[in-house]
Amino acid sequence: METRIEIKLTDITGERVDAIVNAANTSLLGGGGVDGAIHQAAGPELLEECRLMHGCPTGGAKLTRGYRLFAKYVIHTVGPVWQGGKHNEDELLADCYRNCLKLAQEHGIKTVAFPCISTGVYRFPIERAAAIALKTIDENLAGSGVEKVVFVCFDEVNHRAYLDRV
Ligand code: APR
């Protein structure tokens, strides 16, 4: 089964998919950027559930419900903070995409939207992050049962970085 890959320039909170991925921090207690937007759109119950998760390690992923979002689930993942490239950042970013797909498979999630993890506050180089995202998803889709992956960009630079690689 061929998985659909879409690249969009939009706000991820409006995506009509089974799960949207949140670029969270290790506390899982919310923040700015896409984390703030998702909590804002999902409503206060999301934070209540997150409080029960006891955080998430960098590269890890945890699932919650989506509450007021269209998406049934939110997959919270914690990207690496860019520290120059010699602190295993590439591998940890790849772990985010791998672990999100693993959770999607475990929960029968068929359509999932990813933001550009780590490319905001965490300052991961944009082209490098796009290449890792596309490669990791491509390498891990087989057997996942996922039918559609949407890469949601929020700015033109990220959008261009994805469009130039597909
Ligand atoms: N929809 C889609 N993408 C968005 C949205 C949105 N509503 N808002 C921001 N983004 C994009 C940013 O433009 C960036 O390209 O998400 C990408 C990730 O940026 P951040 O949200 O800053 O996340 P990240 O760089 O992974 O840093 C995570 O930021 O918000 C805090 O709590 C979060 O501490 C954590 C840190």
Side-chain angles (χ1 to χ4, degrees), residues 72-134:
K72 190 172 172 207
Y73 299 107
V74 177
I75 297 176
H76 305 261
T77 191
V78 181
V81 175
W82 180 253
Q83 301 176 71
K86 297 198 174 16
H87 294 74
N88 205 27
E89 294 98 320
D90 288 1
E91 213 32 51
L92 285 167
L93 185 60
D95 286 346
C96 288
Y97 288 95
R98 260 192 293 273
N99 287 322
C100 288
L101 269 189
K102 193 159 152 279
L103 274 181
Q105 178 173 353
E106 288 166 6
H107 292 269
I109 290 167
K110 300 281 179 234
T111 59
V112 58
F114 287 90
C116 305
I117 301 166
S118 280
T119 64
V121 164
Y122 285 0
R123 300 189 327 283
F124 204 106
I126 286 174
E127 283 76 12
R128 193 180 181 121
I132 291 167
L134 287 164

Side-chain angles (χ1 to χ4, degrees), residues 8-14 21-39 77-81 93 114-124 126 152-155 158:
K8 292 171 93 168
L9 178 59
T10 189
D11 179 334
I12 200 168
T13 59
V21 173
N22 180 21
N25 58 60
T26 52
S27 77
L28 289 190
L29 298 180
V34 71
D35 196 3
I38 288 172
H39 275 275
T77 191
V78 181
V81 175
L93 185 60
F114 287 90
C116 305
I117 301 166
S118 280
T119 64
V121 164
Y122 285 0
R123 300 189 327 283
F124 204 106
I126 286 174
V152 177
C153 306
F154 203 53
D155 60 80
N158 270 292

Side-chain angles (χ1 to χ4, degrees), residues 42-55:
E45 298 102 318
L46 178 60
L47 183 58
E48 281 166 30
E49 186 176 359
C50 284
R51 284 194 205 291
L52 308 176
M53 313 298 278
H54 303 302

Side-chain angles (χ1 to χ4, degrees), residues 131-148:
I132 291 167
L134 287 164
K135 180 172 178 289
T136 309
I137 291 295
D138 186 48
E139 288 170 351
N140 291 275
L141 268 180
S144 69
V146 172
E147 293 164 4
K148 183 171 85 169

